[in-house]
Amino acid sequence: MSWQATSLAADDNVATLLAAAASGGRVVVMTPGGELEIIAREAIALCHKIALVDIAQGAAVVKYGDCIGEATAPIRCGAWVHTHNLRSRRARLAEGQAP
């Protein structure tokens, strides 16, 4: 089975799409533990992030084993993760807030 997204660390809760995903489309994610299949909740562009699990508001968003920010709203599994629901750690540091 071919895969359309990848995550590199066991604790990642998002994956990077290697091909665009259609709303309602099946996305096979290659993870360190093997393949995972999720359904895209919306159209997501190439190289953008897709949630691998439900992520609570305020929870850390982890990509490639690193916290890249926090969820500014609840994010459901299969949803697009981007600036509309993610606040980066860099933005917090630039504003003088703790990461």
Side-chain angles (χ1 to χ4, degrees):
M1 178 181 282
S2 65
W3 42 283
Q4 298 87 23
T6 187
S7 72
L8 300 181
D11 60 344
D12 285 353
N13 56 12
V14 298
T16 301
L17 287 169
L18 305 175
S23 180
R26 183 182 70 141
V27 177
V28 177
V29 182
M30 181 58 70
T31 73
E35 291 182 351
L36 169 69
E37 185 177 312
I38 57 178
I39 302 299
R41 294 187 170 274
E42 56 203 301
I44 307 171
L46 167 71
C47 295
H48 282 247
K49 295 173 292 300
I50 187 169
L52 299 177
V53 297
D54 289 342
I55 304 170
Q57 183 174 349
V61 175
V62 180
K63 176 181 171 183
Y64 303 152
D66 288 320
C67 176
I68 60 169
E70 66 183 37
T72 58
I75 304 171
R76 306 244 348 247
C77 180
W80 178 35
V81 180
H82 200 56
T83 57
H84 66 284
N85 57 12
L86 169 67
R87 182 172 183 179
S88 77
R89 294 182 79 190
R90 281 185 279 180
R92 290 183 63 121
L93 292 172
E95 294 169 2
Q97 298 178 20

